[in-house]
Amino acid sequence: MAEQAQFEELARQLSAVGAVKRDLARILPHECPAGSAAVLTLLGRHGSMRMSKLAELLAVDMSVTSRHVAHVAERGWIERSPDPADKRSRILRLTPTGEATLQDLSRRSTALLTERLSDWTDEEVEQLIRLMTRLSASFGDCRATPPHPRPAVGTAPAQGSPKATTGSTLASAARAPTPVLDALEPTTRTPA
């Protein structure tokens, strides 16, 4: 098992994922902001679905999901059709134009990664993919499980939780940015 200092360094390094995601967001076309790209990506990955399922996958509430869906529907990238099982619900699916937009997003993200990782070997890229996939699997689906309770600063952790941290570790953890990996699922080869 890795030591505490290694996990602290890992937490700091994971914050760099934010910089990668910001660069990926910068290459999106003006008419396709990150939320719209996420909708297209999830429909491309999972196929047709209800808006409630999309909201669950995006890990946002229905009002936010509705805004994203309205944006992509206005551009003709998805179609909303009545759900045969429940006429009050709609099934969302990519249109051919939406599929073409998704392919464009994929080309853009692939080109950026190709440029930025040009000095990496194929083996290093494969190793990163394997490790990111394993990291994602270790955390599981954050939407399906409640977050771990956090003890208040200076209190002992609950029975069965990880060992209490020392004061210096706690201080350095408070200074370090907290890595946040959002629902856009950047570990796949589709755009984030």
Side-chain angles (χ1 to χ4, degrees):
M1 176 98 173
E3 294 183 22
Q4 183 70 28
Q6 290 174 300
F7 287 120
E8 289 171 1
E9 180 59 22
L10 177 59
R12 283 189 288 277
Q13 293 301 321
L14 282 173
S15 68
V17 171
V20 173
K21 291 176 72 172
R22 282 188 297 278
D23 269 3
L24 286 167
R26 284 185 193 110
I27 64 166
L28 294 174
H30 176 71
E31 70 276 4
C32 188
S36 297
V39 168
L40 296 177
T41 299
L42 289 170
L43 287 171
R45 182 177 305 136
H46 298 284
S48 302
M49 66 182 77
R50 287 183 175 181
M51 189 154 7
S52 57
K53 178 64 176 177
L54 180 61
E56 178 185 326
L57 291 171
L58 288 169
V60 297
D61 65 40
M62 285 293 284
S63 64
V64 174
T65 303
S66 293
R67 284 194 301 274
H68 293 321
V69 166
H71 182 84
V72 296
E74 287 168 7
R75 280 144 187 82
W77 298 337
I78 66 165
E79 63 182 12
R80 299 176 274 195
S81 55
D83 183 348
D86 181 357
K87 297 294 183 197
R88 296 169 297 167
S89 296
R90 299 275 184 224
I91 298 291
L92 310 174
R93 67 179 45 87
L94 286 174
T95 64
T97 304
E99 289 174 6
T101 302
L102 184 56
Q103 289 173 359
D104 177 54
L105 297 176
S106 182
R107 278 191 298 276
R108 288 169 182 255
S109 61
T110 299
L112 177 66
L113 292 170
T114 300
E115 174 192 330
R116 297 296 168 88
L117 304 181
S118 63
D119 60 339
W120 289 43
T121 66
D122 291 348
E123 292 78 23
E124 289 170 327
V125 173
E126 284 298 324
Q127 182 181 15
L128 178 62
I129 293 167
R130 275 194 311 278
L131 292 173
M132 292 294 288
T133 302
R134 185 173 175 191
L135 177 67
S136 180
S138 292
F139 277 82
D141 186 352
C142 64
R143 296 168 300 257
T145 58
H148 294 287
R150 296 180 190 183
V153 173
T155 62
Q159 185 108 16
S161 64
K163 245 173 48 173
T165 56
T166 64
S168 63
T169 302
L170 201 53
S172 67
R175 285 190 308 270
T178 304
V180 178
L181 305 176
D182 69 14
L184 299 180
E185 301 178 27
T187 58
T188 63
R189 294 181 190 196
T190 53

